[in-house]
Amino acid sequence: MTVCNSCRYCEGLCAVFPAIEMRRAFSDGDLNYLANLCHACGACYVDCQFSPPHEFNVNVPKTLAIARDESYARYAWPRALSGLFVRNGIVVSAIAALSVAAFIIGFAAFNDRAALYGIHTGPGAFYALMLHNAMTLLFGTAFLCAILVLAMGGRAFWHDIGEPIGTRTDLASLWQAVKDASRLRYLDGSGVGCFDGEDRPTRRRRIFHHLTFYGFLLCFAATCVATLYHYLLAREAPYAWWDLPVVLGTLGGIGLLVGPAGLLILKARRDQVLIDQASAGMDTAFLVMLFLTSLTGVSLLVGRDTATMGPLLALHLGVVFALFITMPYGKFVHGLYRFMALVRYARERREMVKGAASQ
Ligand code: SF4
Ligand code: SF4
């Protein structure tokens, strides 16, 4: 960071370099802020005249990737569980396997064979195999726990990067961060795209990331609408193909199939010099979990009127439950910390512009 602060060649590439220039020294909190502001496009490595084999050995994307991954463990709550970020790929895989096995065994134990492999149609068909209240209790508890853990991690990050509490009510900075995050403004190396193992940058990583992000949001919206249907309108799932929860879920599901699959392929092709190898398992596990959530959801949608509905429902619920409980201890946290870093950057920029105008 100190070399970059003297050089300043990359200041137009993304938010990281202007943020570096606003500092003379770099605390751990500053580095974690910069690390989570970086979108890992790779442009500054390709442009750098001090990258290997130069003796300065400057590799900003990899350095920030290492710091970023360490920051996830640092802000984990409770701290005793920060070890889950180590060998995260194995941890997530084991939890997913256990969760799927538990749902399959549970479905087999609480339903007779005729019910498990029977054809259930119409409103409430899913609840013939698992009571709605049991589903709500289990998934609601897992979801609320995930929100609590993420909130505590976000609080620790916010405190560590030295941000005053008042920024949270700075609506202009919040709005700027929402715009930057929703457009992935800094994922394109100042407009040229990302370096994904080819000679020229491409926009593919940005497109696949958008598909993943908006696919996730659409699936979440589908769940929210279905919850409102159930409690406000007394309409029970499953719903018709044309009904809003199914339309939102189907569109989101397509995004969550294509986006993570594309990101996994780009990740495999990426120049290894840009990557923090230690976190490869965590990145892959998260993308695979999103892909499997969608794959099992779409399979359930296709097979819900057949005798495969019972096993497909057990499989889908097992994967979704594993996704919920591993969310705060895996790559999902990057979305939260990156957004908070963008809020801070927006505020810093506004104050700098204000300061320059008043001089
Ligand atoms: S990455 Fe290299 S070229 Fe870019 S600012 Fe840092 S030292 Fe300069
Ligand atoms: S966002 Fe891209 S250009 Fe900016 S620091 Fe990260 S890798 Fe370098």
Side-chain angles (χ1 to χ4, degrees), residues 31-93:
L31 288 174
N32 288 338
Y33 159 58
L34 296 170
N36 282 285
L37 202 52
C38 169
H39 288 52
C41 72
C44 60
Y45 180 80
V46 178
D47 288 359
C48 184
Q49 60 268 42
F50 302 121
S51 59
H54 191 282
E55 62 183 317
F56 285 2
N57 196 27
V58 173
N59 184 342
V60 176
K62 184 168 182 171
T63 304
L64 293 185
I66 293 169
R68 191 163 52 242
D69 296 333
E70 289 176 0
S71 76
Y72 301 158
R74 179 182 173 114
Y75 303 120
W77 186 87
R79 282 304 289 271
L81 295 184
S82 62
L84 293 179
F85 283 94
V86 182
R87 296 186 182 278
N88 185 264
I90 295 173
V91 170
V92 172
S93 307

Coordinates of all heavy atoms in Angstrom, one line a residue, residues 31-93:
L31 N -6.5 -1.7 6.4 CA -6.2 -2.8 5.5 C -7.4 -3.7 5.2 O -7.7 -4.0 4.1 CB -5.0 -3.6 5.9 CG -3.6 -2.9 5.8 CD1 -2.5 -3.8 6.4 CD2 -3.3 -2.6 4.4
N32 N -8.1 -3.9 6.3 CA -9.4 -4.7 6.1 C -10.4 -4.0 5.3 O -11.2 -4.6 4.5 CB -9.9 -5.2 7.5 CG -9.0 -6.2 8.1 OD1 -8.3 -6.9 7.4 ND2 -9.1 -6.4 9.4
Y33 N -10.5 -2.7 5.5 CA -11.4 -1.8 4.8 C -11.0 -1.9 3.3 O -11.8 -2.1 2.4 CB -11.3 -0.4 5.3 CG -11.7 0.7 4.4 CD1 -13.0 0.7 3.9 CD2 -10.9 1.8 4.1 CE1 -13.4 1.8 3.0 CE2 -11.3 2.8 3.3 CZ -12.6 2.8 2.7 OH -12.9 3.8 1.9
L34 N -9.7 -1.6 3.0 CA -9.2 -1.7 1.6 C -9.4 -3.0 1.0 O -9.8 -3.2 -0.2 CB -7.8 -1.3 1.5 CG -7.4 0.2 2.0 CD1 -5.9 0.3 2.1 CD2 -8.0 1.2 1.0
A35 N -9.2 -4.1 1.7 CA -9.3 -5.4 1.2 C -10.7 -5.7 0.8 O -11.0 -6.4 -0.2 CB -8.8 -6.4 2.3
N36 N -11.7 -5.2 1.6 CA -13.1 -5.5 1.3 C -13.6 -4.5 0.3 O -14.7 -4.8 -0.3 CB -13.9 -5.5 2.6 CG -13.7 -6.8 3.3 OD1 -14.3 -7.8 3.0 ND2 -12.9 -6.8 4.4
L37 N -12.9 -3.5 0.0 CA -13.3 -2.5 -1.1 C -12.9 -3.1 -2.4 O -13.4 -2.8 -3.5 CB -12.6 -1.2 -0.8 CG -13.2 0.1 -1.4 CD1 -14.7 0.2 -1.1 CD2 -12.4 1.3 -0.9
C38 N -11.8 -3.9 -2.4 CA -11.3 -4.5 -3.7 C -12.3 -5.6 -4.2 O -12.8 -6.4 -3.5 CB -9.9 -5.1 -3.4 SG -9.3 -6.1 -4.8
H39 N -12.5 -5.5 -5.5 CA -13.4 -6.4 -6.2 C -12.7 -7.5 -7.0 O -13.2 -8.3 -7.8 CB -14.4 -5.7 -7.2 CG -15.4 -4.9 -6.5 ND1 -15.1 -4.0 -5.5 CD2 -16.8 -4.9 -6.6 CE1 -16.3 -3.4 -5.1 NE2 -17.3 -3.9 -5.7
A40 N -11.3 -7.5 -6.8 CA -10.5 -8.6 -7.4 C -10.6 -8.7 -8.9 O -10.6 -9.8 -9.5 CB -10.8 -9.9 -6.8
C41 N -10.6 -7.5 -9.6 CA -10.7 -7.6 -11.1 C -9.4 -7.9 -11.7 O -9.4 -8.4 -12.8 CB -11.2 -6.2 -11.6 SG -10.0 -4.9 -11.5
G42 N -8.3 -7.7 -11.0 CA -7.0 -8.0 -11.5 C -6.3 -6.9 -12.3 O -5.1 -7.1 -12.7
A43 N -7.0 -5.8 -12.6 CA -6.4 -4.8 -13.5 C -5.1 -4.2 -13.0 O -4.2 -3.9 -13.7 CB -7.5 -3.7 -13.8
C44 N -5.1 -4.0 -11.7 CA -3.9 -3.3 -11.1 C -2.7 -4.2 -11.1 O -1.5 -3.7 -11.1 CB -4.2 -2.8 -9.7 SG -4.6 -4.1 -8.5
Y45 N -2.9 -5.5 -11.2 CA -1.7 -6.4 -11.3 C -1.1 -6.3 -12.7 O 0.1 -6.3 -12.9 CB -2.1 -7.9 -11.0 CG -1.0 -8.8 -11.1 CD1 0.0 -8.9 -10.1 CD2 -0.8 -9.6 -12.2 CE1 1.1 -9.8 -10.2 CE2 0.3 -10.5 -12.4 CZ 1.2 -10.5 -11.3 OH 2.3 -11.4 -11.4
V46 N -2.1 -6.4 -13.7 CA -1.6 -6.3 -15.1 C -1.0 -5.0 -15.4 O 0.0 -4.9 -16.2 CB -2.9 -6.6 -16.0 CG1 -2.5 -6.5 -17.5 CG2 -3.5 -8.0 -15.7
D47 N -1.5 -3.9 -14.9 CA -1.0 -2.6 -15.2 C 0.3 -2.2 -14.4 O 1.0 -1.3 -14.8 CB -2.0 -1.5 -14.8 CG -3.2 -1.5 -15.8 OD1 -3.1 -2.3 -16.7 OD2 -4.1 -0.7 -15.6
C48 N 0.6 -3.0 -13.4 CA 1.7 -2.6 -12.4 C 3.1 -2.8 -13.0 O 3.4 -3.9 -13.4 CB 1.5 -3.3 -11.1 SG 2.7 -2.8 -9.9
Q49 N 3.9 -1.8 -12.9 CA 5.3 -1.9 -13.4 C 6.2 -2.5 -12.3 O 7.4 -2.8 -12.5 CB 5.9 -0.6 -13.8 CG 5.9 0.5 -12.8 CD 4.6 1.4 -12.9 OE1 3.5 0.9 -13.0 NE2 4.8 2.7 -12.7
F50 N 5.6 -2.7 -11.1 CA 6.4 -3.3 -10.0 C 5.9 -4.7 -9.6 O 6.3 -5.2 -8.6 CB 6.2 -2.4 -8.7 CG 6.7 -1.0 -8.9 CD1 5.8 0.1 -8.8 CD2 8.0 -0.7 -9.4 CE1 6.2 1.4 -9.0 CE2 8.4 0.6 -9.6 CZ 7.5 1.7 -9.4
S51 N 5.1 -5.3 -10.5 CA 4.7 -6.7 -10.2 C 5.8 -7.6 -10.5 O 6.8 -7.2 -11.2 CB 3.4 -7.0 -11.0 OG 3.6 -6.8 -12.3
P52 N 5.8 -8.9 -10.0 CA 6.8 -9.8 -10.3 C 7.1 -9.9 -11.8 O 6.2 -9.8 -12.6 CB 6.3 -11.1 -9.7 CG 5.2 -10.7 -8.8 CD 4.7 -9.5 -9.2
P53 N 8.3 -10.0 -12.3 CA 9.5 -10.3 -11.5 C 10.2 -9.1 -10.9 O 11.4 -9.2 -10.4 CB 10.4 -11.0 -12.5 CG 10.1 -10.4 -13.8 CD 8.6 -10.1 -13.7
H54 N 9.6 -7.9 -10.9 CA 10.3 -6.8 -10.2 C 10.5 -7.1 -8.8 O 9.7 -7.8 -8.1 CB 9.4 -5.5 -10.4 CG 10.1 -4.3 -10.0 ND1 10.3 -3.9 -8.7 CD2 10.6 -3.3 -10.8 CE1 10.9 -2.7 -8.7 NE2 11.1 -2.4 -9.9
E55 N 11.6 -6.6 -8.3 CA 12.0 -6.9 -6.9 C 11.0 -6.4 -5.8 O 10.9 -6.9 -4.7 CB 13.4 -6.4 -6.6 CG 13.5 -4.9 -6.7 CD 14.9 -4.4 -6.4 OE1 15.5 -4.9 -5.5 OE2 15.3 -3.5 -7.2
F56 N 10.2 -5.4 -6.2 CA 9.2 -4.9 -5.2 C 8.1 -6.0 -5.0 O 7.4 -6.0 -4.0 CB 8.5 -3.6 -5.7 CG 9.4 -2.4 -5.5 CD1 10.7 -2.5 -5.0 CD2 8.9 -1.1 -5.8 CE1 11.5 -1.4 -4.8 CE2 9.7 0.0 -5.7 CZ 11.0 -0.1 -5.2
N57 N 7.9 -6.8 -6.0 CA 6.9 -7.9 -5.9 C 5.5 -7.5 -5.6 O 4.9 -8.1 -4.7 CB 7.5 -8.9 -4.9 CG 6.8 -10.3 -5.0 OD1 6.3 -10.6 -6.1 ND2 6.7 -11.0 -3.9
V58 N 5.1 -6.4 -6.2 CA 3.7 -5.8 -5.8 C 2.7 -6.7 -6.5 O 2.7 -6.9 -7.7 CB 3.6 -4.3 -6.3 CG1 2.2 -3.8 -6.1 CG2 4.6 -3.5 -5.5
N59 N 1.7 -7.2 -5.7 CA 0.6 -7.9 -6.2 C -0.6 -7.5 -5.4 O -1.0 -8.2 -4.4 CB 0.9 -9.4 -6.2 CG -0.2 -10.3 -6.8 OD1 -1.3 -9.8 -7.0 ND2 0.1 -11.5 -7.1
V60 N -1.2 -6.4 -5.8 CA -2.3 -5.9 -4.9 C -3.5 -6.8 -4.9 O -4.0 -7.1 -3.8 CB -2.7 -4.5 -5.5 CG1 -3.9 -4.0 -4.7 CG2 -1.6 -3.5 -5.3
P61 N -4.0 -7.4 -6.0 CA -5.2 -8.3 -5.9 C -4.9 -9.5 -4.9 O -5.8 -9.8 -4.1 CB -5.4 -8.8 -7.3 CG -4.7 -7.8 -8.2 CD -3.5 -7.3 -7.4
K62 N -3.8 -10.1 -5.0 CA -3.5 -11.3 -4.1 C -3.3 -10.8 -2.7 O -3.9 -11.5 -1.8 CB -2.3 -12.0 -4.6 CG -2.1 -13.3 -3.8 CD -1.0 -14.2 -4.4 CE -0.9 -15.5 -3.6 NZ -0.1 -16.4 -4.3
T63 N -2.6 -9.7 -2.5 CA -2.4 -9.2 -1.1 C -3.7 -8.9 -0.4 O -4.0 -9.3 0.7 CB -1.5 -8.0 -1.1 OG1 -0.3 -8.3 -1.8 CG2 -1.2 -7.5 0.2
L64 N -4.6 -8.2 -1.2 CA -5.9 -7.8 -0.6 C -6.8 -9.1 -0.5 O -7.6 -9.1 0.4 CB -6.5 -6.8 -1.5 CG -5.8 -5.4 -1.5 CD1 -6.6 -4.3 -2.2 CD2 -5.6 -4.9 0.0
A65 N -6.6 -10.0 -1.4 CA -7.4 -11.3 -1.2 C -7.1 -12.0 0.1 O -7.9 -12.5 0.8 CB -7.2 -12.2 -2.4
I66 N -5.8 -12.0 0.4 CA -5.3 -12.7 1.6 C -5.9 -11.9 2.8 O -6.4 -12.5 3.8 CB -3.8 -12.8 1.7 CG1 -3.3 -13.8 0.6 CG2 -3.3 -13.3 3.0 CD1 -1.8 -13.7 0.3
A67 N -5.7 -10.6 2.8 CA -6.2 -9.8 3.9 C -7.7 -9.9 4.1 O -8.2 -10.0 5.2 CB -5.8 -8.3 3.7
R68 N -8.4 -10.0 2.9 CA -9.9 -10.1 2.9 C -10.3 -11.4 3.6 O -11.2 -11.4 4.5 CB -10.4 -10.0 1.5 CG -11.9 -9.8 1.3 CD -12.2 -9.4 0.0 NE -11.7 -10.2 -1.1 CZ -10.8 -9.7 -2.0 NH1 -10.4 -8.5 -2.0 NH2 -10.4 -10.5 -3.0
D69 N -9.6 -12.5 3.2 CA -10.0 -13.8 3.8 C -9.7 -13.8 5.3 O -10.5 -14.4 6.0 CB -9.3 -14.9 3.0 CG -9.8 -14.9 1.6 OD1 -10.9 -14.5 1.3 OD2 -9.0 -15.3 0.7
E70 N -8.6 -13.2 5.7 CA -8.3 -13.2 7.1 C -9.3 -12.3 7.9 O -9.6 -12.6 9.0 CB -6.9 -12.7 7.3 CG -5.8 -13.7 6.9 CD -4.4 -13.2 7.0 OE1 -4.2 -12.0 7.4 OE2 -3.5 -13.9 6.6
S71 N -9.8 -11.3 7.2 CA -10.8 -10.4 7.9 C -12.1 -11.2 8.2 O -12.7 -10.9 9.2 CB -11.1 -9.2 7.0 OG -11.9 -9.4 5.9
Y72 N -12.5 -12.1 7.3 CA -13.7 -12.9 7.6 C -13.6 -13.6 8.9 O -14.6 -13.6 9.7 CB -14.0 -13.9 6.5 CG -14.1 -13.3 5.1 CD1 -13.9 -14.1 3.9 CD2 -14.5 -12.0 4.9 CE1 -14.0 -13.6 2.7 CE2 -14.6 -11.5 3.6 CZ -14.4 -12.3 2.5 OH -14.5 -11.8 1.2
A73 N -12.5 -14.2 9.2 CA -12.3 -15.0 10.4 C -12.2 -14.0 11.6 O -12.7 -14.2 12.7 CB -11.0 -15.8 10.4
R74 N -11.6 -12.9 11.4 CA -11.3 -11.9 12.4 C -12.7 -11.3 13.0 O -12.8 -11.1 14.2 CB -10.5 -10.7 11.9 CG -10.2 -9.6 12.9 CD -9.4 -8.5 12.2 NE -9.2 -7.4 13.0 CZ -8.1 -7.0 13.4 NH1 -7.0 -7.6 13.2 NH2 -8.0 -5.9 14.2
Y75 N -13.7 -11.1 12.1 CA -14.9 -10.6 12.5 C -16.0 -11.6 12.8 O -17.2 -11.2 13.0 CB -15.4 -9.5 11.5 CG -14.4 -8.5 11.3 CD1 -13.8 -8.3 10.0 CD2 -13.9 -7.7 12.3 CE1 -12.9 -7.3 9.8 CE2 -12.9 -6.7 12.1 CZ -12.4 -6.5 10.8 OH -11.5 -5.6 10.6
A76 N -15.6 -12.9 12.8 CA -16.6 -13.9 13.0 C -17.2 -13.8 14.4 O -16.5 -13.5 15.4 CB -16.0 -15.3 12.8
W77 N -18.5 -14.1 14.6 CA -19.1 -14.1 15.9 C -19.9 -15.4 16.1 O -20.6 -15.7 15.2 CB -20.0 -12.9 16.0 CG -20.6 -12.7 17.4 CD1 -20.0 -12.1 18.5 CD2 -21.9 -13.3 17.8 NE1 -20.8 -12.2 19.6 CE2 -22.0 -12.9 19.2 CE3 -22.9 -14.0 17.3 CZ2 -23.1 -13.3 20.0 CZ3 -24.0 -14.4 18.0 CH2 -24.1 -14.0 19.4
P78 N -19.8 -16.0 17.2 CA -18.8 -15.8 18.3 C -17.4 -16.1 17.8 O -17.2 -17.0 16.9 CB -19.2 -16.7 19.4 CG -20.0 -17.8 18.7 CD -20.7 -17.2 17.5
R79 N -16.4 -15.5 18.4 CA -15.0 -15.7 18.0 C -14.6 -17.2 18.0 O -13.7 -17.6 17.2 CB -14.0 -14.9 18.9 CG -14.0 -13.4 18.6 CD -13.6 -13.1 17.1 NE -12.3 -13.4 16.8 CZ -11.3 -12.5 16.9 NH1 -11.5 -11.3 17.4 NH2 -10.0 -12.8 16.6
A80 N -15.2 -17.9 18.9 CA -14.8 -19.3 19.0 C -15.0 -20.1 17.7 O -14.4 -21.1 17.5 CB -15.6 -20.0 20.2
L81 N -15.9 -19.5 16.9 CA -16.3 -20.2 15.6 C -15.5 -19.7 14.4 O -15.7 -20.1 13.3 CB -17.8 -20.1 15.3 CG -18.7 -20.8 16.3 CD1 -20.1 -20.7 15.9 CD2 -18.3 -22.3 16.5
S82 N -14.5 -18.8 14.7 CA -13.7 -18.2 13.6 C -13.0 -19.3 12.8 O -12.6 -19.2 11.6 CB -12.8 -17.1 14.0 OG -11.9 -17.6 14.9
G83 N -12.7 -20.4 13.5 CA -11.9 -21.5 12.9 C -12.7 -22.2 11.7 O -12.1 -22.9 10.9
L84 N -14.0 -21.9 11.7 CA -14.8 -22.5 10.6 C -14.4 -21.9 9.2 O -14.7 -22.4 8.2 CB -16.3 -22.2 10.8 CG -17.0 -22.9 12.0 CD1 -18.4 -22.5 12.1 CD2 -16.8 -24.4 11.8
F85 N -13.7 -20.7 9.2 CA -13.2 -20.2 8.0 C -12.0 -20.8 7.5 O -11.5 -20.6 6.3 CB -13.0 -18.6 8.1 CG -14.2 -17.8 8.2 CD1 -14.9 -17.5 9.3 CD2 -14.8 -17.4 7.0 CE1 -16.0 -16.8 9.3 CE2 -16.0 -16.7 6.9 CZ -16.6 -16.4 8.1
V86 N -11.3 -21.7 8.4 CA -10.2 -22.4 7.9 C -10.7 -23.7 7.3 O -11.6 -24.4 7.9 CB -9.2 -22.7 9.2 CG1 -8.0 -23.4 8.7 CG2 -8.9 -21.4 9.8
R87 N -10.1 -24.1 6.2 CA -10.6 -25.3 5.5 C -12.2 -25.3 5.3 O -12.9 -26.2 5.6 CB -10.3 -26.6 6.3 CG -8.8 -26.8 6.3 CD -8.4 -28.2 6.9 NE -7.0 -28.3 7.0 CZ -6.2 -28.7 6.0 NH1 -6.8 -29.0 4.9 NH2 -4.9 -28.9 6.2
N88 N -12.6 -24.1 5.0 CA -14.0 -23.8 4.9 C -14.8 -24.7 3.9 O -15.9 -25.1 4.1 CB -14.3 -22.3 4.5 CG -15.7 -21.9 4.5 OD1 -16.4 -21.9 3.5 ND2 -16.2 -21.6 5.7
G89 N -14.1 -25.1 2.8 CA -14.7 -25.9 1.8 C -15.1 -27.3 2.4 O -16.2 -27.8 2.2
I90 N -14.2 -27.8 3.2 CA -14.5 -29.1 3.9 C -15.6 -29.0 4.9 O -16.5 -29.8 5.0 CB -13.2 -29.7 4.5 CG1 -12.2 -30.0 3.4 CG2 -13.5 -30.9 5.3 CD1 -10.8 -30.4 4.0
V91 N -15.6 -27.9 5.7 CA -16.6 -27.6 6.7 C -18.0 -27.5 6.0 O -18.9 -28.2 6.4 CB -16.3 -26.3 7.5 CG1 -17.4 -25.9 8.3 CG2 -15.0 -26.5 8.3
V92 N -18.1 -26.7 5.0 CA -19.4 -26.5 4.3 C -19.9 -27.8 3.7 O -21.0 -28.2 3.8 CB -19.3 -25.4 3.3 CG1 -20.6 -25.3 2.4 CG2 -19.0 -24.0 4.0
S93 N -18.9 -28.6 3.1 CA -19.3 -29.8 2.4 C -19.8 -30.8 3.5 O -20.9 -31.5 3.3 CB -18.1 -30.5 1.7 OG -17.5 -29.6 0.8

